[in-house]
């Protein structure tokens, strides 16, 4: 006589197995998140959790949360600038850049006027100006930073998570506040896997460089350039670093023809591909100098407009997430310690790169 198995006992073991698997999954997830939260550096909790989510297949969830954030913090239209624009300097220093042609007119007092941030003797080598980004977001200010191509040198620094494995590189994931020739630091581009390009530093190919991608290249002699890989640059022994990010915003003095028709594929990739968010970009002028632009309420179009107004002949977008954008210059303080000064009212701390950085970034030094 056949005895049938107790069905309740069968489902009891199924439930125990499921509970055990679920417990293991939750435990590993908590351990992984906790490890992320305890990583060094000054990244805010929200940025750490967003990075963890994207790295663990939760990109769509992170995007939806960013959409909600954007919905409740959407840039307002119109209005007046709430922060003071620096006044025009009384004494013009040798080499001072001409004022930037403003976009929103009439110009406010001091709008578009370059101020000296760092100088060598009486010659400015880093200057900055503030101006409204367009005709509708008139309560916001974008910042333009000009850097001498002859007097400055860029150094790409790796992040301990992006690209990680720091032992491969000869440089570290932070700068020291006692470095004599340190002038400034600024954020790099998207996460490498989202950049539509590659990453090369000190003979290490983290991800192969792609033909057609916008590329910031630095050479052994200290000079840098921006262009298209495969057209303007190809690999050679005198290239120290090459950081790619998307396509060129500006090429040969003209803004990209698809600046408004391919926002998500070419210029979005984060914050739900919204148009008007914190953005940053960098361009090179015909004279070989560099202009860095960052600010809130920027679209790909207004970022490109600002770069073009600042004299960029070729330009590329960098990061667009408010949690990653930053530009700081450094001034001498007591005891030979460098004090950082923020170029704009972005979220991150001014001294963020004095601690280990999870993302790659650029350090700017005096060019010998």
């Amino acid at each position: 006589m056949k005895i049938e198995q107790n069905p309740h006992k069968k489902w009891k073991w199924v439930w125990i197995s499921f509970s055990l698997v679920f417990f293991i999954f939750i435990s590993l997830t908590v351990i992984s998140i906790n490890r992320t939260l305890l990583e060094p550096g000054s990244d805010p909790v929200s940025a750490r959790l967003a990075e963890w989510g994207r790295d663990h297949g939760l990109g769509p969830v992170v995007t939806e949360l960013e959409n909600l954030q954007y919905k409740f913090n959407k840039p307002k239209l119109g209005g007046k600038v709430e922060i003071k624009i620096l006044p025009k300097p009384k004494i013009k220093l040798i080499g001072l850049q001409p004022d930037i042609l403003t976009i929103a007119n009439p110009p406010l007092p001091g709008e578009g006027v370059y101020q000296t941030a760092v100088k060598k003797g009486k010659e400015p080598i880093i200057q900055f100006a503030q101006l409204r980004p367009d005709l509708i977001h008139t309560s916001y200010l974008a910042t333009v930073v000009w850097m001498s191509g002859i007097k400055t040198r860029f150094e790409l620094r790796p992040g301990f998570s992006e690209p990680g494995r720091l032992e491969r590189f000869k440089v570290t994931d932070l700068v020291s506040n006692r470095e004599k020739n340190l002038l400034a630091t600024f954020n790099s581009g998207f996460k490498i896997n989202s950049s539509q390009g590659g990453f090369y530093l000190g003979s290490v190919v983290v991800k192969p460089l792609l033909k057609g991608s916008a590329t910031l290249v630095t050479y052994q002699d200290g000079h840098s350039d921006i262009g298209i890989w495969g057209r303007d640059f190809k690999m050679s022994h005198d290239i120290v670093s090459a950081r790619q990010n998307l396509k060129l915003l500006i090429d040969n003095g003209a803004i990209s023809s698809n600046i408004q028709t391919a926002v998500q594929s070419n210029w979005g990739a984060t914050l739900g591909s919204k148009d008007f968010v914190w953005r940053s970009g960098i361009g090179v002028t015909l004279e070989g100098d560099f202009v860095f632009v960052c600010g809130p309420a920027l679209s790909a179009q207004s970022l490109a407009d600002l770069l073009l107004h600042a004299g960029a002949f070729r330009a590329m977008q960098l990061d667009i997430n408010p949690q990653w954008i930053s530009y700081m210059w450094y001034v001498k303080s007591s005891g030979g310690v460098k004090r950082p000064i923020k170029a704009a009212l972005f979220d991150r701390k001014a001294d963020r790169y004095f601690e280990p950085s999870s993302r790659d970034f650029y350090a700017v030094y005096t060019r010998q």
Side-chain angles (χ1 to χ4, degrees), residues 190-200 206-215 229 242-247:
F190 288 3
K191 286 172 68 70
I192 297 171
N193 288 336
S194 303
S195 68
Q196 301 177 27
F199 186 106
Y200 172 83
V206 175
K207 185 179 179 183
L209 301 169
L210 300 181
K211 288 185 178 180
S213 292
T215 313
W229 191 262
R243 179 51 155 106
Q244 296 187 315
N245 200 58
L246 312 179
K247 305 297 182 184

Side-chain angles (χ1 to χ4, degrees), residues 37 43-52 54 62 69 323-324:
L37 294 177
D43 294 351
V45 172
S46 58
R48 293 171 188 255
L49 292 176
E51 293 289 274
W52 183 90
R54 288 193 176 95
V62 175
Q69 176 188 359
Q323 296 171 326
W324 301 113

Side-chain angles (χ1 to χ4, degrees), residues 87-142:
K88 191 171 183 179
K90 295 179 180 179
I91 302 176
K92 285 202 171 185
L93 298 175
I94 298 173
L96 196 69
Q97 293 299 298
D99 298 346
I100 303 173
L101 182 65
T102 57
I103 297 173
N105 289 305
L108 301 172
E111 185 174 9
V113 177
Y114 272 115
Q115 311 293 305
T116 297
V118 180
K119 62 181 180 178
K120 190 171 184 180
K122 290 187 176 181
E123 185 178 358
I125 53 178
I126 296 181
Q127 298 176 282
F128 72 101
Q130 297 172 306
L131 65 162
R132 292 165 293 173
D134 55 40
L135 298 175
I136 58 176
H137 296 94
T138 51
S139 64
Y140 299 93
L141 286 175

